[in-house]
Amino acid sequence: MAFVSRSDDGAIDSVFEQLQEGRAEEFLSDDDPAVVAFRNAPPIVSSVSARQFRLMLRRSGLLNQVKAWVAQQDGETQDAFEYSGTFVKDSPMMMAGFAAMGFTPQQIDGFFAAAASL
């Protein structure tokens, strides 16, 4: 038994064991395909270690391009790239860098998911 809440686009965004008044009032069986898909979806990766990030840049053939972009940025961005222990997907530096590389949101998610597996 699952009570679900949905995002504005209609996708399930939470599953609960009990009714959540005003939030999750729709009841679906545990074997409903939408509930099964939600429960089996890979986790959303929001950050990776510097090692994972740099290895993924190297494996993607982007390391030199990113280093060139970073070299053109302000000192804080350069320091963040050089010395951060963790790279957070939705940080302003990351968003600017991925935009400069022409990445779509789906490609960014894919990049971080792949980096997390390293």
Side-chain angles (χ1 to χ4, degrees), residues 2 12 40 56 64 68 73 77 79 83 89 92 95 115 118:
I12 293 176
N40 292 325
M56 194 65 217
N64 291 334
Q73 304 310 303
T77 299
D79 287 347
Y83 301 111
K89 180 170 55 174
M95 292 169 55
L118 299 176

Side-chain angles (χ1 to χ4, degrees), residues 28-40:
L28 297 174
S29 67
D30 285 332
D31 62 351
D32 183 281
V35 172
V36 171
F38 176 81
R39 288 184 169 154
N40 292 325

